[in-house]
Amino acid sequence: MQNITINTPGSHLMKTYQRAPIKLAKGKGNFVWDIDGKKYLDFTSGIATCNLGHVPDLVKNALMNQLDQIWHCSNLYQIDPQEKLAQLLSDVSCFDEVFFCNSGAEANEAAIKLARIYAKNIAHKQSTEIVTFTQSFHGRTLATLSATGQKKIQKGFEPLMPGFNYLPFNEDSSLKQLKEINPCAVLIEIVQGEGGVIPAKKEWIQELAVICKEQNILLMVDEIQTGMGRTGTLFAYEQYGIEPDIMTLAKGLGSGFPIGAMLAKRNIALAFTPGTHGSTFGGNPLAVVAGTATLEAFQTMNILEKCERQIQELWLGLKGLMEKYPMIEEVRGRGFLIGVVINSDAAKAIEIARKEKLLLLSAGPNVIRILPPLTITNEEINLFLSSFTKVLIEMEGDAQ
């Protein structure tokens, strides 16, 4: 990738990221500004995290109020803000109980642990194996990268944690294999984000859910990226007519403030007893206040209803660009989780977009990932389409 540095020269940060050559200093609404005052339209949402835009007022005010009260007290004590957010999450989902943590990887770790202890102590299943799918992404801890179905994520960290079986995503052959394997659980993204923005086929995932129910296999959905309205409904599973047993959340739950959550049906959550799992910072007052304010903003501001039109406008605009520019091979995804497949280098397109004051992401070598805030306006969509058109024109010119 051109114009990408690992770190600022002389930096003491570990070299774990390829960083774009801009330093962001401020964010508000659907824009960010760098240290030089340049303004960028943010169609990354902090990787599907700032779903309400940057520094939403309702969340900011709730956090400022909490800053004057208590920041941390540990889970040795009752925490009323935890109870409130857990109640809200249960009210808007098919789940009964919640475990709070700090990130998506931790939420998936909790789900993996819950599935195993449930299988042993309650379901009395012989197998503690968990099925995941090729091209999936579930995190970068040792357990979650072992659950991830991508060799590039796992490379160099072998031996991986045992107990995971990877089946092809969206393939009927996987359903037959699932019956034969009869694992304790399935962990799946309803739309694979990092793996290329690939939605699950509705009929396929419904059949998978039937098999799980028939064979007492826990169905766990990883909604770290798809949750909190990203796909057009509060949770992506709602669009598929299924009821998972376990769901994991993070990213958009705190509007940029670090929080993760693992939700489960009550009969499954019973497998967690005092001492089986925990987190020092998980569910601290600041984090759960941010989560509560975010969820309340969805309700009071009618976010999902208001963005329906914008979702349609953006998809129509991208489809129009696909008809005009042969470089675009496919536009796929759901809601505001969109993958634009091009016959060229996605990294180069992202670099050109930055020159047009537009921030984008990739989801593989030839997939541009588009993640606007759910608060995006028609005017901002038009600005995006104009800037993205310039990117395509320059890309096609360079290819000739």
Side-chain angles (χ1 to χ4, degrees):
M1 187 188 299
Q2 301 175 17
N3 290 336
I4 289 291
T5 59
I6 301 298
N7 281 326
T8 302
S11 172
H12 293 274
L13 293 171
M14 289 191 182
K15 299 172 179 61
T16 52
Y17 305 103
Q18 286 190 322
R19 301 178 187 268
I22 56 174
K23 296 180 180 181
L24 299 180
K26 176 187 173 184
K28 188 61 181 175
N30 306 323
F31 293 89
V32 291
W33 289 259
D34 68 13
I35 59 173
D36 298 318
K38 293 178 182 177
K39 182 180 179 181
Y40 297 81
L41 179 61
D42 185 6
F43 263 50
T44 74
S45 298
I47 314 182
T49 295
C50 302
N51 289 0
L52 299 179
H54 291 273
V55 196
D57 290 337
L58 287 174
V59 182
K60 173 187 173 182
N61 293 338
L63 280 169
M64 289 180 69
N65 181 60
Q66 187 62 39
L67 282 169
D68 287 330
Q69 298 182 50
I70 190 168
W71 297 9
H72 178 74
C73 60
S74 91
N75 287 295
L76 296 175
Y77 309 100
Q78 304 289 328
I79 302 175
D80 281 344
Q82 273 190 19
E83 296 284 355
K84 182 176 182 180
L85 180 54
Q87 180 67 62
L88 284 173
L89 286 169
S90 296
D91 288 346
V92 297
S93 71
C94 65
F95 305 99
D96 305 303
E97 297 190 10
V98 184
F99 173 82
F100 289 114
C101 50
N102 309 288
S103 68
E106 287 181 61
N108 283 335
E109 288 264 0
I112 291 165
K113 287 184 68 175
L114 181 58
R116 287 188 171 182
I117 200 167
Y118 174 83
K120 290 179 179 179
N121 294 352
I122 296 180
H124 304 295
K125 291 199 74 162
Q126 296 263 331
S127 174
T128 56
E129 191 170 50
I130 296 174
V131 161
T132 65
F133 295 89
T134 53
Q135 292 304 112
S136 61
F137 180 81
H138 298 294
R140 293 186 183 274
T141 63
L142 189 56
T144 56
L145 72 83
S146 296
T148 292
Q150 296 188 59
K151 293 290 186 185
K152 69 178 183 179
I153 303 295
Q154 300 168 341
K155 186 178 180 181
F157 298 104
E158 302 84 358
L160 301 177
M161 196 175 101
F164 296 98
N165 195 314
Y166 318 108
L167 299 181
F169 188 66
N170 271 338
E171 295 292 335
D172 290 340
S173 61
S174 297
L175 303 178
K176 181 180 179 181
Q177 291 180 70
L178 179 61
K179 293 178 183 178
E180 296 169 350
I181 295 168
N182 193 21
C184 75
V186 168
L187 177 60
I188 188 169
E189 296 167 280
I190 302 240
V191 181
Q192 292 187 330
E194 173 73 22
V197 191
I198 306 169
K201 298 174 183 176
K202 189 171 184 178
E203 297 78 9
W204 180 80
I205 207 166
Q206 287 180 337
E207 180 61 25
L208 183 146
V210 168
I211 294 169
C212 286
K213 188 172 183 179
E214 289 175 346
Q215 298 194 196
N216 196 22
I217 301 168
L218 295 182
L219 177 56
M220 309 192 298
V221 292
D222 176 344
E223 296 236 22
I224 306 302
Q225 185 162 176
T226 57
M228 299 306 293
R230 176 54 51 188
T231 64
T233 50
L234 195 59
F235 309 116
Y237 78 80
E238 298 174 274
Q239 300 178 37
Y240 284 77
I242 61 171
E243 272 204 12
D245 299 297
I246 295 173
M247 175 175 72
T248 53
L249 292 175
K251 289 190 180 290
L253 180 57
S255 291
F257 201 93
I259 183 172
M262 187 268 291
L263 293 73
K265 298 287 184 70
R266 179 161 286 113
N267 64 308
I268 297 157
L270 288 172
F272 266 0
T273 56
T276 53
H277 197 48
S279 170
T280 297
F281 293 110
N284 77 81
L286 284 168
V288 291
V289 161
T292 298
T294 298
L295 201 51
E296 288 178 340
F298 269 86
Q299 297 169 333
T300 60
M301 296 171 64
N302 297 317
I303 295 295
L304 294 175
E305 292 81 2
K306 287 181 178 178
C307 75
E308 280 183 7
R309 180 63 181 167
Q310 279 69 35
I311 289 172
Q312 294 175 11
E313 287 294 322
L314 181 55
W315 276 85
L316 283 171
L318 288 169
K319 293 285 189 180
L321 291 179
M322 184 171 67
E323 292 176 2
K324 189 174 181 180
Y325 297 96
M327 176 172 288
I328 299 179
E329 297 181 342
E330 184 182 2
V331 179
R332 64 194 183 204
R334 281 187 176 269
F336 277 152
L337 173 51
I338 304 172
V340 177
V341 184
I342 60 174
N343 60 10
S344 188
D345 182 12
K348 183 178 179 182
I350 292 167
E351 179 190 336
I352 295 171
R354 284 198 302 271
K355 294 191 300 183
E356 297 296 332
K357 306 300 184 294
L358 171 65
L359 301 184
L360 300 172
L361 293 169
S362 64
N366 69 326
V367 181
I368 301 167
R369 188 169 17 162
I370 295 173
L371 301 166
L374 308 188
T375 51
I376 205 76
T377 65
N378 287 337
E379 181 181 3
E380 290 159 352
I381 288 172
N382 289 334
L383 175 60
F384 160 77
L385 292 171
S386 174
S387 298
F388 194 51
T389 299
K390 294 176 184 177
V391 173
L392 295 172
I393 290 171
E394 183 167 341
M395 290 282 288
E396 289 196 341
D398 290 345
Q400 292 176 355

